[in-house]
Amino acid sequence: MKFGGTSVADAQCIKRVVDILEGHHKAGDEVAVVVSAQRGVTDQLIAIAEKLPVAKDCSEVPPLIAHLRERHMATLKGAAPDYVREVEEIIEKRLASLQHILFAIYNLRELTPRSKDYVISYGERLLAPVMGAALRQRGIPSIVFDGCEAGILTTAQHGEATALSRSDEIIKKKIGSLLKKEIPVVMGFMGCTENGIITTLGRSGSDYSASIIGAGIDADEIWIWTDVDGIMTSDPRVINDARVLKSVSYIEVMELSYFGAKVMHPRSIDPAMRKNILVRVKNTFNPTAPGTLIVRNGHRDSRIVKALTYIEKVASININGAQMIGRPGVAKAIFSALADREVNIMMISQGSSEANISLIVDESHLESAVDALKPLVTDGIVREITHNRDVCAVAVVGAGMAGAAGTGGRIFTALGKAGVNVMIISQGSSEANISFVVRQQDGPRSVRILHDEFQLSEECN
Ligand code: ADP
Ligand code: ASP
Ligand code: MG
C-alpha cells in the first residue's frame, strides 16, 4: 500500500492512514507500506536546490530547515506522542545533513544530477520515520527502510531512474521476510545504483516504488492510496464532472499517465504488469469507496473512449526539407542526434510526402533537442528546423478503440466544429490511444469538448 503526499500531509492524515493499516493488520492481511514526502516538501527541496548555485547568499536555507523541523515535529507529536524523543533524534540528524549538503551546493555553486537526487530524497527520509512510529504507537511493529535498504536497485539515470530486475530478489529477502509479524515502511521515490549512490525515480515516483516493492514480494494486490476516489475520466481539476472509472487496463493507465494524468507515475504499471498483479487506486479520505481496479484486460464496456488527458509542458519541433524525400538514414540521423542528448520524444509524426517530420518533446528538453539537430541543417540533411512552445498534447484513451472504426473521425469532427486547430495527430500502435497537438490555450477546451462528445460523465454498464 502506497500513501501519497496529501494522505500523509499532517498528524490527522497519518492517523487516518494508521486506521486503514490497523484494519488490515487485524484482519490478518500482510501489508508493506510505501510513503511519499508530505505534500509540497519535494517541491520545496527542488526549488531550493535549483536556486542555490546561482543565489547571492544562502539565507533561505535556515528558514527552510526550520519549517521542515516544525512541520515534521508537529506531525510526530500528533501521531506518535510516545516516540517523540526517539524519532526527533533521527529527524534532527537528517535535517543537519540536509543543511550541510545545501550549504555545500551553495559554496560550490554546483548542483549535479547526483547531488540533486540526494537532496530531493529528503522529503521521504523525514516522513517515513514518523509513519513507522505512528504504527508502533498503535501497537503494530514496524521497521523503516530507505528505498536502497529495501532493495530497490536502479539504473544511474538520475532524476528518472528505472529499477533493475535484480531488485526483486533483494526486496523479497528484506521486506517479504518481515510481513508475517510487522508492517515495514519503505521510503518511496528513491532507490540506489549498485554502488549505493542514491537515485530518484521521477516525480510521483512513490507509485513506481510501490509497484517495485509489490512485484518484489509477489504481492496479491498493489494499492495506491491517494486523494481522489480512483482514476477518473479526466483530471477533476480540469473537468468538474469527471467520473471515477471502475476498471481500466494496464495499457490504458500507461497511456493516461504517459500523457500527463498525474494520478499515477508513468512507469508504475511495469512491475505490476510483469507479475500480473492487480492494482487498486483508492481514496485515503473515503476508504469505503470501491476505487479503480487496474487489471490486464480492463472490462470492455460499451464505451470506446474511456478517459482523456493532456500535457502542457511540451514543445513541437518541425523538421522540413525536400532533401528528406526518399533518402534513407534521415530518420536515423535525427533520432540518434536526439538520443545522444537524452531528449525524450513523446510523439512522432511524418507527412507522407516525407518532406516533414514533427516531433513532440518535453519542454525542458527543447533547447538540447534544437542544439542536437542544428548540425543536420549545416550538413544539408534537412533544410530547416523550427519549434513552437505554445502547444500541448491531448490524449484520448480507451482499449476499445482498437479496431473500432470512426473514432478518429468523431474526435476531429467535434474539435473542428468548435474551431480548434489540430496541428499534429498520432496514434500509438497499441491503438489504445489517439493523441494530438493543439495550441496551449486550446488544451483544456479540447478535453471538455471530447468529454462531452463521448459522454464520459454519464454512468454506463
Ligand atoms: P498523491 O500525492 O496521492 O500521489 P497526486 O497529486 O500525485 O497524489 O495524484 C492525485 C491527483 O491526480 C488528483 O488529486 C487529481 O487532481 C490528479 N489527476 C489528474 N488526472 C487524473 C485522473 N484521470 N484521475 C484521477 N486523478 C487525476
Ligand atoms: N515526493 C515525490 C514527489 O513529489 C514522490 C511522490 O510523491 O510520489 O514527486
Ligand atoms: Mg502522486
Side-chain angles (χ1 to χ4, degrees):
M1 293 190 177
K2 171 257 172 175
F3 295 88
T6 312
S7 303
V8 297
D10 58 28
Q12 206 193 346
C13 291
I14 298 249
K15 285 199 233 168
R16 201 175 286 124
V17 168
V18 176
D19 289 341
I20 292 173
L21 291 170
E22 190 180 31
H24 285 275
H25 187 66
K26 284 192 172 149
D29 294 343
E30 294 177 6
V31 184
V33 168
V34 171
V35 279
S36 300
Q38 291 192 292
R39 184 185 53 210
V41 172
T42 312
D43 290 333
Q44 289 171 326
L45 293 170
I46 292 174
I48 194 137
E50 288 179 349
K51 216 185 270 177
L52 284 172
V54 289
K56 59 179 189 320
D57 58 43
C58 49
S59 60
E60 281 185 38
V61 174
L64 174 68
I65 298 290
H67 162 79
L68 292 174
R69 172 180 297 116
E70 205 178 301
R71 184 165 177 193
H72 287 85
M73 284 308 295
T75 310
L76 173 64
K77 284 177 188 158
D82 298 346
Y83 291 86
V84 169
R85 275 190 40 205
E86 178 188 321
V87 178
E88 181 173 24
E89 208 175 301
I90 301 174
I91 291 179
E92 282 307 329
K93 267 198 196 138
R94 294 205 173 143
L95 288 173
S97 80
L98 174 61
Q99 178 155 300
H100 269 121
I101 308 160
L102 292 174
F103 283 150
I105 290 169
Y106 170 73
N107 286 324
L108 295 167
R109 298 287 198 281
E110 183 185 57
L111 179 69
T112 63
R114 191 188 279 200
S115 53
K116 183 174 174 185
D117 264 2
Y118 191 56
V119 167
I120 67 178
S121 72
Y122 267 80
E124 276 72 10
R125 282 178 201 284
L126 291 169
L127 191 269
V130 178
M131 186 73 232
L135 283 165
R136 294 197 292 281
Q137 179 77 40
R138 230 23 111 76
I140 303 169
S142 174
I143 306 184
V144 177
F145 295 84
D146 74 25
C148 186
E149 291 164 341
I152 301 183
L153 288 184
T154 73
T155 57
Q157 200 188 354
H158 285 285
E160 255 339 304
T162 301
L164 304 176
S165 55
R166 224 160 64 65
S167 307
D168 273 2
E169 192 189 320
I170 314 171
I171 292 168
K172 178 161 254 168
K173 227 181 265 164
K174 296 213 172 157
I175 305 297
S177 60
L178 299 172
L179 300 175
K180 284 234 164 344
K181 292 200 202 87
E182 57 186 293
I183 299 188
V185 172
V186 179
M187 299 171 200
F189 186 45
M190 73 171 92
C192 64
T193 64
E194 286 179 287
N195 299 329
I197 294 159
I198 298 297
T199 51
T200 63
L201 309 173
R203 291 312 303 273
S204 287
S206 302
D207 301 327
Y208 185 30
S209 308
S211 190
I212 299 166
I213 298 285
I217 62 173
D218 282 312
D220 298 317
E221 300 191 5
I222 296 165
W223 291 24
I224 305 294
W225 289 92
T226 182
D227 58 1
V228 283
D229 278 350
I231 296 182
M232 305 176 83
T233 50
S234 194
D235 187 340
R237 287 169 300 193
V238 179
I239 300 293
N240 55 13
D241 53 353
R243 187 176 45 88
V244 176
L245 294 160
K246 290 190 187 101
S247 159
V248 288
S249 68
Y250 290 141
I251 300 287
E252 287 169 333
V253 178
M254 278 171 158
E255 296 286 4
L256 276 178
S257 52
Y258 182 71
F259 279 95
K262 206 191 148 206
V263 68
M264 290 271 276
H265 176 284
R267 267 168 298 138
S268 55
I269 291 300
D270 275 353
M273 193 157 98
R274 184 163 51 79
K275 293 255 175 123
N276 208 5
I277 303 173
L278 182 150
V279 181
R280 262 180 226 274
V281 180
K282 301 250 311 164
N283 190 348
T284 312
F285 302 88
N286 186 17
T288 52
T292 300
L293 280 188
I294 308 171
V295 290
R296 183 164 294 276
N297 298 308
H299 283 310
R300 277 285 180 96
D301 52 28
S302 52
R303 251 173 237 276
I304 294 171
V305 167
K306 269 200 177 157
L308 304 162
T309 182
Y310 82 105
I311 181 163
E312 253 178 357
K313 292 199 169 118
V314 296
S316 68
I317 300 176
N318 296 302
I319 304 165
N320 301 307
Q323 297 93 320
M324 297 195 296
I325 294 178
R327 183 167 163 175
V330 175
K332 176 173 179 243
I334 292 171
F335 295 117
S336 355
L338 295 173
D340 289 347
R341 298 288 290 269
E342 299 195 352
V343 171
N344 178 26
I345 304 168
M346 301 196 58
M347 277 169 65
I348 302 166
S349 142
Q350 179 174 24
S352 57
S353 72
E354 296 185 40
N356 172 289
I357 294 179
S358 302
L359 307 171
I360 295 295
V361 299
D362 279 355
E363 197 176 16
S364 60
H365 292 178
L366 179 63
E367 265 171 47
S368 320
V370 171
D371 253 14
L373 294 173
K374 268 187 198 148
L376 303 189
V377 180
T378 327
D379 297 346
I381 299 175
V382 303
R383 180 168 43 81
E384 173 197 48
I385 294 168
T386 59
H387 62 263
N388 186 356
R389 284 176 193 273
D390 178 28
V391 295
C392 74
V394 180
V396 181
V397 173
M401 292 196 297
T407 318
R410 241 175 110 182
I411 295 172
F412 299 112
T413 305
L415 293 169
K417 268 194 199 145
V420 174
N421 175 31
V422 177
M423 299 149 109
I424 302 174
I425 300 174
S426 148
Q427 175 167 27
S429 59
S430 76
E431 288 191 55
N433 161 12
I434 293 178
S435 43
F436 58 89
V437 174
V438 294
R439 279 194 313 178
Q440 206 156 67
Q441 68 186 57
D442 286 336
R445 195 156 74 90
S446 305
V447 173
R448 180 73 265 174
I449 292 164
L450 298 177
H451 206 269
D452 291 341
E453 171 65 27
F454 292 97
Q455 298 170 336
L456 294 186
S457 340
E458 283 158 38
E459 225 32 86
C460 81
N461 341 309

